[in-house]
Amino acid sequence: MSAEGAQPATTQVVILGAGVIGLTVAHVLSKDARYKIKIVARDMPDDLDSQAFASPWAVSAGYRLGRAALTPSPPRAQGANWSPMGEYNARIYKWEKTTFDKLWDMIPAGLAITSPSRVFYDAGADLDALWYKTLVRDFRILGKDELPDGTHAGVGFQTVSVWPQAYLPWLKSELDARGVEFVRKRVATLGEAAALAGPNGVLINATGLGARSLIGLEDKDVYPIRGQTIVISNPNVREFMCTELTSAEDGNATYVIPRPAPGGWTTILGGKYQKNNWDTSFSAADAQGILDRCAALAPAIKDPETRILRHNVGLRPARRGGPRVEAEKLDLPLKNEWLVEELPEEKGTVLVVHAYGFGPAGYQMSWGAAEEVGSLVDSHVNPNKA
Amino acid sequence: MSAEGAQPATTQVVILGAGVIGLTVAHVLSKDARYKIKIVARDMPDDLDSQAFASPWAVSAGYRLGRAALTPSPPRAQGANWSPMGEYNARIYKWEKTTFDKLWDMIPAGLAITSPSRVFYDAGADLDALWYKTLVRDFRILGKDELPDGTHAGVGFQTVSVWPQAYLPWLKSELDARGVEFVRKRVATLGEAAALAGPNGVLINATGLGARSLIGLEDKDVYPIRGQTIVISNPNVREFMCTELTSAEDGNATYVIPRPAPGGWTTILGGKYQKNNWDTSFSAADAQGILDRCAALAPAIKDPETRILRHNVGLRPARRGGPRVEAEKLDLPLKNEWLVEELPEEKGTVLVVHAYGFGPAGYQMSWGAAEEVGSLVDSHVNPNKA
């Protein structure tokens, strides 16, 4: 579009949401200087450890607009490692394989660690046919002596983990260095977000649970999966372990995720997996169940030296039908029936690329999904990109 | 306790929560210079209009501790007027009468306004026996010509309204002038809060929905009542109207609350009243129902000049058995079974006065409840107070 040697034309890209998906999409797109990128969100990754950052830990009393995923995923409660979730799906396999390898490559820089892992299954499961056998490293079927009491079968492998409180700030620092702009703003409607991108602009919709409430989108397939976790410190708990995450009709999911952290490891014990449950209050009964189930896998948790540091309750931003990564073109100005807005009257088209609904798997799909978003943007905006 | 003429001994008072209850209790107690008052909360009234204040409008994605009511009640979505709620209860009548009269007295200063009101009942209701007849001003039974289509009986009166976006900052400014200290802090346990008050100190527990999650208290009688409202501007909607707030089995509550505001009135249209529903997402179906029900009472809402400015969804901090305003003495250090905390080892007793569970009625019970809290504190700390 530009003459040889001249400044290339730039495209305004607005990313709505500063969670791990929004930040990773920004990382992928910002490699191309033709994209002028602005991340617009209610809360910012810099806020994560700030006293001023209320969202991840405080739930407001009284009235509020449900705008869950304009906020970054709060880090203290997250693994965040690659864990096996669900059945084989070609698209998701690709996203997760891409992400696993990308995080694995970050190990030398200290941004990620490798972690020995054991995952347990019902007796009779066809472990040799597990879909993620080629995704993880050093996959093997466990011998009987490696099975904790009460488990019947299992596999071992090496997975990769990041510590979100270091990882998200690293992502943010990369984006800062590339000139990505961060704008703190509460956006109520898809039309308002599209207007920020403007005619011929690109809007990335990385709003997570907020996609349900974003007026003009109102994706009612988006729903929460309630989680509760416990953060402990115990230097003897160093292995990732979980049971198969099945349909979880009892709302239980059992996982032990050690995480590297400055000043010593901490370990996430989980958890609950309650679909369509919005309850963000602490449940002592849930905490007791988590401790008992995790200690059955990792008996060291019952050691007197275990210190419980924190309890977390939160909502995973899931979607019926799976994550939505999809492009559509919308005409500006984009009105809606629910709010009177003073939008710019300028006409034009915005490319909207949706990237939400990753449920429990935002971190482990992030790089693969972000690359697909990048390809969708390129194919519309710079179709002849080398 | 002090010699005549000497500096009187002071008592450290920590108020946990900066909602309308916490602030009003601080206002009552701070009249007595012997109370050294610190308000500790996750979010502060100053944040209400700040872009940095996420809590009232943003719900975080991912994990968070359910700590609802350490945040102030967000103002945009609130009436906040005196509305009839529930049946007669002597204690609550006293709280509401005290509050009504106090707010009425603020009208000349411009902090509150009086508002003509109509409330509608089923045919056959004994309107002349309504319990709040002596609480409001100019109470009368409506004539047939004053009943909108579809209503069968009703009463008229003058109520009082405040505009929370001005009222809460006014409360805050009063407290600032009296030297009340504000500390932004996330408190996870009752023991941590009690330690802030210290031996012989006083802790006011004004945590609202957070009382359910405050570890060491974990009051499971606390529950949310989901609400959804619409803020409109229409200069022709100037009268408070509602239908009787009954048990609301359908989850509907219908009210039209005009509020004074700089630059023109806005009006809250409500609403939903869904017990034990934590869903903080926007529902277009709920919004449509609210518009239809309110327009049946106030047809001007259907005028083309009505502008919808905002939708709000939130949780009212209710409690089975009603509000808890009650004193108890607890021994320090106060341990709990769910978190390892580094609490001061100093022994002593803390007076805890609970003040939470006001549900939809925080504003309209605030002054009466705060005075009862003040009396409870005085009776323990300064029993011979004049």
Side-chain angles (χ1 to χ4, degrees):
Chain A
M1 289 174 70
S2 61
E4 195 78 24
Q7 190 76 7
T10 60
T11 297
Q12 177 69 60
V13 177
V14 167
I15 299 175
L16 191 61
V20 69
I21 297 296
L23 296 177
T24 310
V25 169
H27 199 277
V28 167
L29 289 177
S30 60
K31 283 184 211 150
D32 186 334
R34 286 175 297 187
Y35 297 125
K36 188 164 173 289
I37 300 173
K38 188 184 286 188
I39 297 181
V40 177
R42 176 69 264 194
D43 297 297
M44 292 296 172
D46 279 351
D47 299 329
L48 289 172
D49 288 317
S50 152
Q51 283 297 310
F53 187 54
S55 289
W57 310 114
V59 180
S60 77
Y63 289 83
R64 61 197 171 181
L65 187 63
R67 186 149 309 286
L70 302 187
T71 62
S73 315
R76 286 192 192 80
Q78 299 170 343
N81 70 349
W82 181 88
S83 301
M85 296 177 189
E87 300 298 314
Y88 175 75
N89 171 300
R91 191 185 198 193
I92 285 173
Y93 182 91
K94 190 180 163 199
W95 291 345
E96 296 200 351
K97 179 69 175 159
T98 298
T99 308
F100 191 101
D101 291 347
K102 178 94 180 174
L103 296 179
W104 192 270
D105 290 344
M106 294 181 187
I107 292 171
L111 289 164
I113 56 148
T114 179
S115 173
S117 308
R118 282 185 284 170
V119 178
F120 306 103
Y121 290 84
D122 288 339
D126 185 0
L127 302 179
D128 202 45
L130 279 172
W131 64 270
Y132 60 84
K133 186 179 170 180
T134 54
L135 191 151
V136 296
R137 308 288 162 105
D138 303 340
F139 180 92
R140 66 199 172 80
I141 293 170
L142 296 176
K144 279 214 161 62
D145 58 325
E146 297 174 284
L147 295 172
D149 288 347
T151 66
H152 306 287
V155 298
F157 54 88
Q158 294 286 325
T159 192
V160 65
S161 299
V162 298
W163 189 56
Q165 279 169 284
Y167 181 75
L168 293 183
W170 168 78
L171 265 178
K172 170 73 161 55
S173 70
E174 292 265 302
L175 302 179
D176 285 338
R178 293 177 184 179
V180 171
E181 189 185 353
F182 288 80
V183 178
R184 189 191 295 277
K185 187 178 170 67
R186 173 187 179 271
V187 172
T189 71
L190 186 61
E192 183 184 350
L196 293 171
N200 304 314
V202 175
L203 171 66
I204 310 296
N205 173 24
T207 52
L209 206 49
R212 186 178 166 91
S213 295
L214 189 68
I215 289 173
L217 177 65
E218 299 157 49
D219 185 343
K220 295 308 180 200
D221 285 331
V222 170
Y223 67 95
I225 303 173
R226 180 179 182 274
Q228 181 166 329
T229 61
I230 304 171
V231 183
I232 66 163
S233 77
N234 180 328
N236 300 320
V237 182
R238 285 292 181 94
E239 189 184 12
F240 166 54
M241 289 195 278
C242 70
T243 54
E244 188 186 11
L245 185 60
T246 54
S247 58
E249 281 171 28
D250 58 1
N252 289 334
T254 304
Y255 47 89
V256 176
I257 308 181
R259 307 173 305 169
W265 290 47
T266 61
T267 300
I268 290 275
L269 307 182
K272 299 296 291 184
Y273 198 86
Q274 297 167 284
K275 295 182 180 184
N276 295 303
N277 184 333
W278 293 82
D279 182 349
T280 49
S281 72
F282 168 73
S283 162
D286 286 350
Q288 189 62 59
I290 290 165
L291 277 177
D292 292 344
R293 285 184 279 119
C294 288
L297 295 186
I301 290 169
K302 292 280 190 193
D303 289 351
E305 66 191 291
T306 289
R307 290 168 54 88
I308 297 181
L309 303 177
R310 190 178 189 101
H311 297 271
N312 300 297
V313 181
L315 306 178
R316 303 175 182 94
R319 184 168 178 269
R320 274 177 288 279
R324 184 177 185 198
V325 176
E326 186 181 7
E328 63 176 327
K329 291 199 169 183
L330 297 177
D331 291 329
L332 293 178
L334 182 63
K335 306 282 173 101
N336 72 78
E337 59 176 321
W338 286 112
L339 276 180
V340 174
E341 296 184 286
E342 288 174 13
L343 297 174
E345 283 303 322
E346 197 182 0
K347 288 190 164 43
T349 302
V350 169
L351 176 71
V352 179
V353 182
H354 299 285
Y356 62 86
F358 295 92
Y363 278 86
Q364 73 189 49
M365 295 182 186
S366 58
W367 287 100
E371 288 186 4
E372 186 167 324
V373 169
S375 297
L376 286 168
V377 173
D378 285 342
S379 69
H380 285 87
V381 177
N382 292 309
N384 302 319
K385 187 168 173 175
Chain B
M1 290 173 69
S2 60
E4 195 79 23
Q7 190 76 8
T10 61
T11 297
Q12 177 69 60
V13 178
V14 167
I15 298 175
L16 191 61
V20 69
I21 297 296
L23 296 177
T24 310
V25 169
H27 199 278
V28 167
L29 289 176
S30 60
K31 283 183 213 151
D32 186 334
R34 286 175 296 186
Y35 297 125
K36 188 164 172 287
I37 300 173
K38 188 184 287 189
I39 297 181
V40 177
R42 177 69 264 195
D43 297 297
M44 292 296 172
D46 279 351
D47 299 329
L48 289 172
D49 288 317
S50 152
Q51 283 297 309
F53 187 53
S55 289
W57 310 114
V59 180
S60 77
Y63 289 83
R64 60 198 171 180
L65 187 63
R67 185 150 310 286
L70 302 187
T71 63
S73 314
R76 286 192 193 80
Q78 298 170 342
N81 70 349
W82 181 88
S83 301
M85 295 177 189
E87 301 298 315
Y88 175 76
N89 171 299
R91 190 185 198 195
I92 285 173
Y93 182 92
K94 189 180 163 198
W95 290 345
E96 296 200 352
K97 179 70 175 159
T98 298
T99 308
F100 191 101
D101 291 346
K102 178 94 180 174
L103 296 179
W104 192 270
D105 290 344
M106 293 181 187
I107 292 172
L111 289 165
I113 56 149
T114 179
S115 173
S117 308
R118 281 186 285 170
V119 178
F120 306 103
Y121 290 84
D122 288 340
D126 186 359
L127 302 179
D128 202 45
L130 278 172
W131 64 269
Y132 60 85
K133 186 179 170 180
T134 54
L135 192 150
V136 296
R137 308 289 162 106
D138 303 340
F139 180 92
R140 66 199 173 80
I141 292 171
L142 295 177
K144 279 213 161 60
D145 58 324
E146 297 174 283
L147 295 172
D149 289 347
T151 66
H152 307 287
V155 298
F157 54 88
Q158 294 285 326
T159 191
V160 65
S161 299
V162 298
W163 189 56
Q165 279 169 283
Y167 181 75
L168 294 182
W170 167 78
L171 266 178
K172 170 73 161 55
S173 70
E174 292 265 302
L175 302 179
D176 285 339
R178 293 177 183 178
V180 171
E181 189 185 353
F182 288 80
V183 178
R184 190 192 295 277
K185 188 178 170 67
R186 172 187 180 270
V187 172
T189 71
L190 186 60
E192 183 184 349
L196 293 172
N200 304 314
V202 175
L203 171 66
I204 310 296
N205 173 24
T207 52
L209 206 49
R212 185 178 167 91
S213 295
L214 189 69
I215 289 173
L217 177 65
E218 299 157 48
D219 185 343
K220 295 308 180 201
D221 285 331
V222 170
Y223 67 95
I225 303 173
R226 180 179 182 274
Q228 181 166 330
T229 61
I230 304 171
V231 183
I232 65 163
S233 77
N234 180 328
N236 300 320
V237 182
R238 285 291 182 96
E239 189 183 12
F240 166 53
M241 290 196 278
C242 70
T243 54
E244 188 185 11
L245 185 60
T246 54
S247 58
E249 281 171 29
D250 57 1
N252 289 334
T254 304
Y255 47 89
V256 176
I257 308 181
R259 307 173 304 169
W265 290 47
T266 62
T267 300
I268 290 275
L269 308 182
K272 299 296 292 183
Y273 198 86
Q274 297 167 284
K275 295 182 180 183
N276 295 304
N277 184 333
W278 293 82
D279 181 349
T280 48
S281 72
F282 168 73
S283 162
D286 287 351
Q288 189 62 58
I290 290 165
L291 278 177
D292 292 345
R293 285 184 279 118
C294 288
L297 295 186
I301 291 169
K302 292 279 191 194
D303 289 352
E305 66 191 290
T306 289
R307 290 167 54 88
I308 297 181
L309 303 177
R310 191 178 188 102
H311 297 271
N312 300 297
V313 181
L315 306 177
R316 303 176 182 92
R319 183 168 178 270
R320 274 177 288 278
R324 184 177 186 198
V325 176
E326 187 182 7
E328 62 176 328
K329 292 200 169 183
L330 296 177
D331 291 329
L332 293 179
L334 182 63
K335 306 281 173 103
N336 72 79
E337 59 176 321
W338 286 112
L339 276 180
V340 175
E341 296 184 286
E342 288 174 13
L343 297 174
E345 283 303 322
E346 197 182 359
K347 289 190 163 43
T349 301
V350 169
L351 176 71
V352 179
V353 182
H354 300 285
Y356 63 86
F358 295 91
Y363 278 85
Q364 73 189 49
M365 295 183 186
S366 59
W367 287 100
E371 288 186 5
E372 185 166 324
V373 169
S375 298
L376 286 167
V377 174
D378 285 342
S379 69
H380 285 87
V381 177
N382 291 309
N384 301 319
K385 187 168 174 175

